[in-house]
Amino acid sequence: MVAEPNGPGPRPTLEAVAALAGVSRATVSRVVNGGTGVRAAVRERVREAVAALGYVPNSAARSLVTRRTGAVAVVIAEPEARVFSDPFFGRQLRGISRELAAADTQLLLMFVERRADYDRIGRYLSAGHVDGALMFSLHRDDPLPAMAERAGLPTVYGGRPGWAGADRAPRPLYVDNDNRDGARQAVRHLLGRGRRRIAVITGPLDQTSAVDRLDGYRDALGTPEPDPRLIADGGFTAQGGERAMARLLDAVPDLDAVFVCSDLMASGALRTLRARGRRVPDDVAVVGYDDLEPAAWADPPLTTVRQDVEEMGRLMARLLLRLLDPRRSAGADDTDGADGPDGADGAPGGGHGPGAGPAELAPVITQARLVVRESA
């Protein structure tokens, strides 16, 4: 009778899997640990034996041999409350989680609540608990990239790098949206609708996405220095958008349009406009950015710039997985090969530093697209 893997009987061993599959222990080890050099038919036989016995690899032993933990840290440089109140982060995390799960890699989520958290995160990242890191929502003075570099930890960033030293070679790997072009599309749409007093609600200007969207706003207006009264920082929050819209109306009562650099801030701006008795879009046209679910639910439905946030998360995870295992980019799969000599319970150890990735990996920029609804 086969013992259940979590039951009272003995735990199935690598040797038992090898005996059932009719192969060597080393072959089972290569299959279990994702190695190559095993014929497809042999690989399938080993997988069937693993399933039949309910074999579960010893993760501690495997880590000693492969120098891999099977885990990736996802570090968001924002407080927990901000992350869970903004649908942007949920969508990006969903993309990351699905890609990592498909690669049998665990996700460890970390937040920055206060400055002291940087030391805690830095110690954890440098202690070998994870194979790599995904970091996003970074600010200009953020120490996280330097921590990852000092730890030799393979890292992919969400958003164009803007921190000190980011322009050194080798350049960081990152995934971003073409924020500047997306902003240009938004403002040109408003100009095409005859709007002339167009304000902008930005995110924090120590983040590159906010800077790029403000630059796109300037590009579309055709002036490097628009009226400063038409610019307000909403902090990428709903409450910030509400307050920023109020400041703009107080400063420029006759404004007739506003480009809001996130849908969440736009929801707050719409609330203020309703409270001030301004009709949207009759009196003030509004365009947001992101095209997350709340944009279509807004009253009126929000014209916005679409970026595929979930796909950006998947691309971040995919880049990191390829950085950790260059065979992914080489298209390596099952290859012909005989059973090798019996060996340790693990595949040959690979590089753990940033140089382990294939040379052709490069940053990825996704395209923005205007989605027109009733608010503009």
Side-chain angles (χ1 to χ4, degrees):
M1 180 177 179
V2 176
E4 293 294 329
N6 296 318
R11 176 176 176 163
T13 64
L14 199 70
E15 289 78 5
V17 175
L20 183 59
V23 299
S24 73
R25 185 180 188 277
T27 295
V28 175
S29 176
R30 288 200 296 274
V31 174
V32 167
N33 291 297
T36 59
V38 181
R39 293 189 300 270
V42 174
R43 186 180 295 274
E44 184 57 31
R45 212 159 67 234
V46 171
R47 287 171 175 163
E48 290 174 355
V50 166
L53 293 176
Y55 173 73
V56 179
N58 184 315
S59 59
R62 182 165 61 176
S63 293
L64 286 173
V65 176
T66 64
R67 292 183 288 167
R68 294 286 176 83
T69 66
V72 164
V74 177
V75 186
I76 307 177
E78 301 290 352
E80 180 180 317
R82 163 95 195 278
V83 171
F84 287 116
S85 65
D86 188 337
F88 175 91
F89 294 109
R91 288 292 290 274
Q92 193 155 25
L93 284 170
R94 183 162 65 178
I96 290 170
S97 175
R98 288 179 173 179
E99 194 70 22
L100 292 180
D104 195 24
T105 299
Q106 302 304 310
L107 181 159
L108 175 76
L109 189 57
M110 308 181 83
F111 306 108
V112 177
E113 293 285 343
R114 56 191 68 85
R115 295 295 300 184
D117 287 335
Y118 285 113
D119 289 337
R120 172 182 58 83
I121 292 170
R123 289 194 304 271
Y124 191 91
L125 296 180
S126 63
H129 297 302
V130 293
D131 298 323
L134 299 168
M135 296 182 177
F136 53 96
S137 203
L138 300 176
H139 299 258
R140 185 180 297 120
D141 63 347
D142 211 304
L144 288 169
M147 291 176 176
E149 184 177 352
R150 284 196 300 270
L153 192 66
T155 304
V156 174
Y157 300 94
R160 178 175 65 81
W163 56 86
D167 55 349
R168 294 197 307 263
R171 293 293 302 276
L173 273 179
Y174 66 91
V175 175
D176 201 3
N177 183 248
D178 192 343
N179 291 293
R180 190 163 184 162
D181 183 63
R184 285 194 293 256
Q185 292 180 48
V187 179
R188 286 170 181 165
H189 173 77
L190 292 168
L191 290 168
R193 295 296 176 96
R195 307 292 171 156
R196 291 297 176 263
R197 299 281 278 170
I198 303 173
V200 60
I201 297 177
T202 76
L205 294 177
D206 65 347
Q207 293 186 295
T208 55
S209 60
V211 171
D212 291 346
R213 292 173 198 179
L214 179 58
D215 285 344
Y217 165 83
R218 292 184 175 119
D219 292 344
L221 292 181
T223 174
E225 297 298 336
D227 185 343
R229 297 176 302 158
L230 290 169
I231 301 173
D233 181 354
F236 280 146
T237 69
Q239 295 84 356
E242 188 174 17
R243 291 190 294 266
M245 190 72 249
R247 290 196 299 272
L248 290 169
L249 290 172
D250 290 341
V252 189
D254 61 340
L255 66 85
D256 60 4
V258 58
F259 166 48
V260 191
C261 292
S262 79
D263 290 349
L264 195 61
M265 291 193 299
S267 68
L270 288 171
R271 191 178 306 138
T272 293
L273 289 168
R274 281 194 299 271
R276 295 287 186 96
R278 302 296 180 94
R279 297 169 300 164
V280 176
D282 305 68
D283 301 323
V284 180
V286 179
V287 178
Y289 204 109
D290 290 331
D291 194 29
L292 300 175
E293 287 88 348
W297 305 338
D299 183 20
L302 185 64
T303 291
T304 187
V305 178
R306 175 172 174 74
Q307 58 173 338
D308 193 338
V309 178
E310 186 171 336
E311 176 64 10
M312 289 166 66
R314 282 196 295 266
L315 289 169
M316 286 179 64
R318 199 171 302 161
L319 268 180
L320 182 60
L321 290 169
R322 290 175 62 187
L323 188 61
L324 294 172
D325 185 357
R327 293 172 301 185
R328 291 176 180 274
S329 62
D333 202 345
D334 297 333
T335 57
D336 290 339
D339 296 347
D342 288 351
D345 185 4
H352 193 78
E360 74 273 12
L361 290 183
V364 177
I365 307 296
T366 64
Q367 298 304 303
R369 178 174 61 85
L370 185 70
V371 178
V372 179
R373 298 194 180 97
E374 296 173 23
S375 70

